Amino acid sequence: MRVRKSSCSARNYPRANSENASAMIELAHVTKKFGAKMAVDDLSLHIEAGEVFAFLGPNGAGKTTTIKMMCGLLFPSAGTVRMAGFDMKSDSEKARRLISYVPDQPFLYEKLTGREVMQFIADMYGMEPAHGRQRIEDMIDTFGLREFVDDLTERYSHGMRQRTVFACALLHEPSVLIVDEPTVGLDPRSVRLLKDLLRLEAQRGATVFLSTHSLDIAQELADRIGVVASGRLISCGTLNTLRQQAAMDGSLEEVFLKLTEESRSESPTEPVTGPPLSAPETAL
Amino acid sequence: MSTTSNATIHQGMLFQWLRWRMLRNATRVVMNQSRLRVFTIFLCSAFIWGSLFAISLFGFRELRIRWDFPLDGSLMGLVFDVLFVSLSALLIFSTGIILYSSLFSSAETSFLLSLPVSPDQIFAYKFQGAIAFSSWAFVLLASPVLIAYGIRVNDGAPWYFYAVLPLFFFGFVLLPGSLGALICLLLVRFVPRNRKQILLLTVAVVAVLLGLWLARRLPSMRDLFASRDWVDQLLDEISLVRSPFVPAHWIADGLQAAAKREPSHMLFRLALIWANGLFLYVVTAWTASKLYRPAYNRIASGSSLAREFSDSWLSKWLGLFTYALSGVWVVHFPSGARVQYHPGTGEGRLDRAVNRLLFFLDAPTRLMIVKDFRTFRRDPAQWAQVVIFICLIVLYFSNVKWFYEQEIGKPFQNGISLLNLVATCFLMCAYTGRFVFPMLSLEGRKFWILGLLPLPRQTLLWGKFAFSAVGCLLVGEFLVLFSNLMLQTPMHIIAVQMATMVVVAVGLSGLSVGLGACIPNFRESDPSKIAVGFGGTLNLVAGLLMVILVVGLMAGPWHYFLMARAAAAIDPDYRALIEAGGFIAGMIVGLLATIVPLRAGARALVRMEF
């Protein structure tokens, strides 16, 4: 498997809403309730183009709910979600043209081959036929799908499915890539490939939003890290910022454990707002 | 054309491509892996179709020749009206229920909603699937009856009667299908929080209204059959069904017009059906474009086990009903009253009652039964259909009672009693096919949890079998006793029928659980789709055959000899021998139908890899 840098084409790069495109992902005071339960509590985020943002938190912290609101699957109970400058409640179809979402339990049509699934995705995003075919071939090479891409996906192993799903997600060169638990079921070689790809996507200008429990991936890839607990953003910034907040100088794992432990014992009175990425903070 | 319109048309065509490509691939796989399976599906369908066609052909001939019944008259039109009204009701319910599952709880829906697809296109794609699933049985059951009618009416219907049949069918299913979809969308969008209770309330209100209507109508119908012009009175009594505004009347009238060689009237009815069907579909699709995403959000946002109710009397009633039904939910009222029931264990009063009821079984089997019972009662799409089934059959029995009290049914007491037993057994067959057969398949990809439990895998099977047999016995015996007591059937016949019901309930349970383990479908999460698949169809046909055999052998001779002429024509010793022999033979058939599939299912379960 090898990463093909040539697969990123600026000509077909989808356009964000230029009037409001200061941030590719913008959550303003977002709250989400499930009945009486508060899943996300006054969450604000501001993520720029070309940034890799890691979203960390314990189980049930509200990560997947936040992601579902960013994809337009759920509407916030209060606050606004804007993706690539488009409001996800009133203008979500335009926004979804620029987004790719890889859920923790991805879906594939079992009675289609991997190639047919990719063809469906390419057509659904309105890609030109020739360009679509070229991109499918690129993705087959990039993710090493050649051996099984013409088999029905019902015969795929978990890792094969995961690679096919990523190929589908990157097919239309999204402006925003949202990934929930990306490395589940992938072998070490595929994990390495995925890390390289995510970094490349950010380099070509895409925003990568990564929800994960793999702290080493977050530490290696992310420009900024957001830590969420009980629906509230308890910390946001570079690893150094997080270390400062935790008042310790350890690994991300140690910092994360300290921050989430503290949040369990004391509920923050003021929500943390993720500041825009500034130049000195980019280095972890 | 605007870009948006182009995109919409493009998406619509893409979904058609997706559907046909999946169908093509699935057909190839099935043809490569198991031609026998395809052959059996066609054989089963042909058998059901052919049997219905033969019975209808015979029935229409008898009606016309023996009873001098005018097949193109208004009474036949009335029969068609009632038939299509009943089918409309079934299509409204089944399309609504299937669409609810496929629009709001399938993994594919979440996937599609994250793509740049307009919601009305997703709705249209899912609607087509729901209509196909809910109406294939309608086509399978109605087409042989109507073709037989065309052959027997007058000197045979003209060629265009057969040509327009599919056009009438496909146009007609759009109307109840769209209505069911519209109701589903509106219910989910506007009453999502207490939707289980609202659904039950709707079913209860419909049943009560129907009961009230019958109660009001019955006194005025007392002299119905005593009068010479009873046909006219009957037509008046159910004039609603024959109203020019009821779509079922359009198809009934249109088909009769075709049979009577009145092409212009036929075309008018056909145009009326298609125009209204397409209009209602467009209204529903437009509603979906506005409501689908908000409705999905409300469903996805309201899955907490703890529910809140306002302080109004209706909400309190709903809250207490919820508590009684599920036991697990916590019900809060703003006034401070609070009902809480074992939120930690999830064990409710009903669960404990079932647990106690099954004291004679070992603990793991009881545990499995309680799990299945809990899963069943928490899914309104499942138990609401059982409530509808039972309401319909109780209404049928009530009508039979009234006919009997009017001295109309007395000469036919024996026959009506047997007919009731057959109807109840068929109901049990439909119930086990729809709810019990898919039970093992529904464990789906979570099957490994059960497969790894420290107990013999056969226990899973015995648990499901006991759950089904107990449920069928309770409902079946109640219905048999209820109908026979109303008809004042002799006690020994009641005893025979109740014993027959035991054999049928146990046999159908064994068959459905056993075949469900032999032919599981772990890929499908919608039980209605599992029930209408290959395994479900095979199970239904096998169940129907078993019911006919068991009832024919066990109860048939007793009812036959209850007729004075038949009893007089045979020696009493021979009569006792035939009755006892048939009874024993029926029990053997029931025993075989229980043991053989269960043993095969147990073997399949032990061998199963997951």
Side-chain angles (χ1 to χ4, degrees):
Chain A
M1 284 188 296
R2 63 200 170 83
V3 177
R4 292 164 61 99
K5 293 186 181 182
S6 60
S7 64
C8 304
S9 154
R11 185 171 53 86
N12 291 293
Y13 194 77
R15 298 284 176 193
N17 188 2
S18 55
E19 290 173 16
N20 296 300
S22 61
M24 292 306 283
I25 300 175
E26 191 170 13
L27 279 72
H29 304 289
V30 169
T31 296
K32 181 66 186 175
K33 285 183 178 178
F34 291 129
K37 187 183 185 312
M38 183 80 80
V40 176
D41 188 4
D42 198 19
L43 176 69
S44 294
L45 281 176
H46 184 101
I47 304 169
E48 299 281 354
E51 186 179 353
V52 179
F53 187 89
F55 202 45
L56 311 181
N59 292 329
K63 300 188 296 294
T64 302
T65 304
T66 306
I67 284 178
K68 284 184 174 175
M69 286 190 284
M70 286 160 55
C71 298
L73 287 173
L74 294 177
F75 298 153
S77 308
T80 54
V81 178
R82 298 182 75 84
M83 302 292 288
F86 297 105
D87 186 284
M88 285 309 285
K89 201 162 185 180
S90 58
D91 235 353
S92 73
E93 201 167 324
K94 285 178 189 160
R96 274 180 281 118
R97 292 204 161 274
L98 306 165
I99 297 172
S100 259
Y101 169 42
V102 180
D104 52 348
Q105 291 177 318
F107 173 85
L108 280 176
Y109 288 102
E110 300 204 322
K111 293 295 179 203
L112 292 186
T113 64
R115 189 188 296 276
E116 286 169 340
V117 174
M118 283 192 273
Q119 185 64 56
F120 175 71
I121 298 288
D123 290 343
M124 197 51 92
Y125 279 92
M127 296 172 78
E128 289 295 324
H131 180 57
R133 279 194 295 276
Q134 182 56 50
R135 286 290 299 163
I136 288 171
E137 292 303 317
D138 286 348
M139 289 297 109
I140 290 171
D141 287 340
T142 303
F143 287 94
L145 312 178
R146 185 74 61 192
E147 277 181 38
F148 54 85
V149 74
D150 292 311
D151 292 340
L152 294 185
T153 62
E154 65 184 6
R155 296 176 197 152
Y156 288 10
S157 70
H158 186 83
M160 287 150 84
R161 293 174 70 88
Q162 196 78 352
R163 278 146 67 187
T164 309
V165 166
F166 269 104
C168 291
L170 297 178
L171 194 65
H172 65 103
E173 296 161 289
S175 301
V176 180
L177 178 64
I178 302 165
V179 191
D180 199 354
E181 288 303 339
T183 54
V184 177
L186 291 181
D187 58 37
R189 179 183 284 269
S190 301
V191 172
R192 180 71 262 162
L193 166 78
L194 186 69
K195 285 179 188 171
D196 292 345
L197 268 169
L198 294 179
R199 180 45 67 195
L200 268 176
E201 283 298 306
Q203 281 171 6
R204 78 165 172 87
T207 304
V208 179
F209 188 94
L210 200 63
S211 166
T212 182
H213 289 297
S214 303
L215 300 181
D216 57 328
I217 290 181
Q219 185 163 358
E220 186 181 338
L221 283 182
D223 298 316
R224 279 191 305 153
I225 298 164
V227 181
V228 66
S230 304
R232 296 175 74 92
L233 191 68
I234 56 171
S235 186
C236 186
T238 62
L239 181 55
N240 286 334
T241 314
L242 266 58
R243 281 177 180 145
Q244 281 168 17
Q245 192 180 332
M248 66 183 299
D249 197 21
S251 65
L252 177 58
E253 184 182 358
E254 289 163 331
V255 171
F256 172 78
L257 289 173
K258 180 146 192 243
L259 286 170
T260 49
E261 188 61 35
E262 280 172 2
S263 84
R264 248 196 285 179
S265 55
E266 57 180 74
S267 179
T269 48
E270 286 297 317
V272 178
T273 303
L277 186 68
S278 55
E281 285 190 333
T282 50
L284 284 172
Chain B
M1 195 180 284
S2 68
T3 315
T4 313
S5 304
N6 273 330
T8 306
I9 292 166
H10 174 75
Q11 287 173 2
M13 288 171 67
L14 202 52
F15 278 123
Q16 294 310 320
W17 174 86
L18 176 69
R19 193 185 297 286
W20 285 112
R21 189 51 70 105
M22 285 196 289
L23 187 68
R24 190 199 71 171
N25 292 350
T27 310
R28 278 184 184 169
V29 169
V30 172
M31 291 300 281
N32 288 336
Q33 287 178 351
S34 174
R35 283 172 195 268
L36 181 66
R37 175 177 275 214
V38 180
F39 178 70
T40 315
I41 291 173
F42 275 108
L43 202 69
C44 287
S45 305
F47 173 74
I48 296 171
W49 199 96
S51 306
L52 270 172
F53 180 68
I55 292 167
S56 307
L57 211 58
F58 174 76
F60 283 125
R61 192 182 73 98
E62 289 292 296
L63 276 176
R64 206 183 74 173
I65 296 170
R66 191 184 290 263
W67 298 83
D68 200 23
F69 189 90
L71 289 182
D72 59 349
S74 56
L75 202 58
M76 196 65 223
L78 176 74
V79 172
F80 279 159
D81 282 329
V82 173
L83 171 76
F84 285 114
V85 163
S86 313
L87 286 171
S88 302
L90 290 175
L91 280 174
I92 290 171
F93 275 114
S94 57
T95 310
I97 288 169
I98 292 176
L99 213 50
Y100 174 81
S101 303
S102 54
L103 278 181
F104 298 105
S105 58
S106 79
E108 185 191 8
T109 306
S110 303
F111 165 70
L112 290 175
L113 284 170
S114 70
L115 298 179
V117 191
S118 57
D120 52 334
Q121 285 298 325
I122 300 175
F123 168 79
Y125 167 62
K126 292 289 182 182
F127 177 80
Q128 288 160 13
I131 277 285
F133 266 107
S134 60
S135 61
W136 75 267
F138 164 62
V139 174
L140 184 71
L141 299 179
S143 61
V145 176
L146 289 169
I147 290 174
Y149 169 77
I151 292 170
R152 290 294 184 214
V153 69
N154 301 330
D155 296 323
W159 64 269
Y160 51 78
F161 172 84
Y162 307 102
V164 294
L165 263 182
L167 295 178
F168 269 107
F169 277 166
F170 295 130
F172 175 68
V173 294
L174 272 178
L175 282 155
S178 300
L179 189 62
L182 194 61
I183 292 169
C184 168
L185 282 168
L186 292 174
L187 275 177
V188 173
R189 174 64 184 88
F190 294 109
V191 280
R193 182 154 290 181
N194 302 324
R195 58 189 180 279
K196 290 182 185 178
Q197 294 82 344
I198 295 289
L199 185 62
L200 190 87
L201 206 62
T202 310
V203 171
V205 166
V206 168
V208 168
L209 286 178
L210 207 61
L212 284 176
W213 179 77
L214 278 173
R216 282 184 58 188
R217 287 293 174 184
L218 285 181
S220 65
M221 290 170 77
R222 284 199 187 285
D223 301 323
L224 191 67
F225 279 80
S227 163
R228 286 183 66 181
D229 51 2
W230 60 275
V231 174
D232 293 336
Q233 284 192 41
L234 185 66
L235 292 177
D236 288 344
E237 286 302 330
I238 44 177
S239 56
L240 186 69
V241 175
R242 296 181 65 81
S243 159
F245 299 107
V246 174
H249 180 61
W250 304 341
I251 184 172
D253 193 41
L255 288 174
Q256 270 208 312
K260 287 193 281 191
R261 299 171 188 273
E262 296 170 1
S264 56
H265 190 61
M266 173 199 79
L267 286 174
F268 165 68
R269 288 300 191 193
L270 188 62
L272 198 63
I273 284 174
W274 273 98
N276 282 280
L278 290 173
F279 174 71
L280 190 58
Y281 172 71
V282 169
V283 168
T284 310
W286 178 82
T287 310
S289 72
K290 303 290 174 200
L291 298 186
Y292 178 36
R293 273 189 179 273
Y296 180 89
N297 174 61
R298 296 197 82 167
I299 283 277
S301 304
S303 58
S304 170
L305 273 178
R307 304 290 168 111
E308 283 190 350
F309 297 87
S310 75
D311 210 16
S312 70
W313 66 271
L314 178 66
S315 284
K316 277 188 176 175
W317 186 87
L318 285 172
L320 286 172
F321 180 80
T322 305
Y323 159 66
L325 188 75
S326 74
V328 68
W329 292 348
V330 186
V331 184
H332 306 271
F333 299 125
S335 58
R338 177 184 163 92
V339 182
Q340 187 163 356
Y341 200 86
H342 292 291
T345 60
E347 189 186 53
R349 185 176 288 171
L350 286 171
D351 295 338
R352 288 196 296 175
V354 170
N355 207 3
R356 273 201 291 269
L357 198 71
L358 301 167
F359 65 93
F360 53 91
L361 295 171
D362 60 295
T365 310
R366 281 207 312 272
L367 205 66
M368 287 296 154
I369 296 174
V370 170
K371 176 193 79 72
D372 286 335
F373 176 63
R374 192 180 291 164
T375 312
F376 180 77
R377 69 186 167 77
R378 283 186 190 162
D379 186 355
Q382 299 267 356
W383 54 255
Q385 291 179 62
V386 178
V387 174
I388 293 166
F389 270 149
I390 293 174
C391 281
L392 286 174
I393 205 148
V394 168
L395 275 174
Y396 160 71
F397 287 158
S398 309
N399 284 330
V400 167
K401 177 178 183 283
W402 175 78
F403 274 98
Y404 185 74
E405 282 172 352
Q406 301 309 304
E407 306 286 325
I408 300 155
K410 280 228 163 94
F412 308 108
Q413 181 208 47
N414 186 27
I416 292 173
S417 169
L418 182 63
L419 196 68
N420 284 353
L421 175 68
V422 173
T424 310
C425 290
F426 281 170
L427 176 81
M428 290 299 117
C429 189
Y431 165 80
T432 51
R434 171 65 183 74
F435 301 107
V436 178
F437 177 79
M439 276 169 75
L440 201 87
S441 299
L442 285 176
E443 303 291 355
R445 288 176 179 142
K446 298 181 290 296
F447 186 75
W448 63 270
I449 300 174
L450 297 177
L452 290 178
L453 285 178
L455 49 93
R457 283 199 200 169
Q458 291 93 323
T459 306
L460 304 175
L461 217 61
W462 288 114
K464 291 185 192 310
F465 168 69
F467 171 66
S468 164
V470 170
C472 286
L473 274 174
L474 288 175
V475 177
E477 295 292 0
F478 162 74
L479 290 174
V480 166
L481 197 64
F482 176 64
S483 68
N484 279 307
L485 287 179
M486 283 197 309
L487 289 172
Q488 296 162 20
T489 315
M491 286 310 287
H492 72 282
I493 293 290
I494 298 182
V496 167
Q497 286 204 4
M498 291 185 77
T500 308
M501 181 46 75
V502 171
V503 175
V504 167
V506 173
L508 285 174
S509 300
L511 199 65
S512 297
V513 172
L515 284 179
C518 288
I519 324 165
N521 180 2
F522 290 130
R523 295 185 188 282
E524 185 57 66
S525 59
D526 186 347
S528 53
K529 290 183 180 172
I530 297 169
V532 298
F534 165 73
T537 312
L538 189 70
N539 178 59
L540 187 73
V541 173
L544 286 174
L545 284 175
M546 193 213 76
V547 164
I548 291 166
L549 270 175
V550 170
V551 173
L553 287 168
M554 285 183 77
W558 294 82
H559 281 276
Y560 180 71
F561 292 126
L562 207 62
M563 290 188 292
R565 270 185 305 174
I570 192 163
D571 185 270
D573 289 342
Y574 279 122
R575 174 186 164 174
L577 195 68
I578 292 170
E579 284 172 345
F583 200 81
I584 293 167
M587 286 178 76
I588 292 171
V589 170
L591 209 63
L592 286 173
T594 311
I595 292 172
V596 173
L598 273 178
R599 288 189 63 165
R603 278 199 300 273
L605 206 61
V606 170
R607 284 198 306 266
M608 201 174 284
E609 293 176 350
F610 51 90

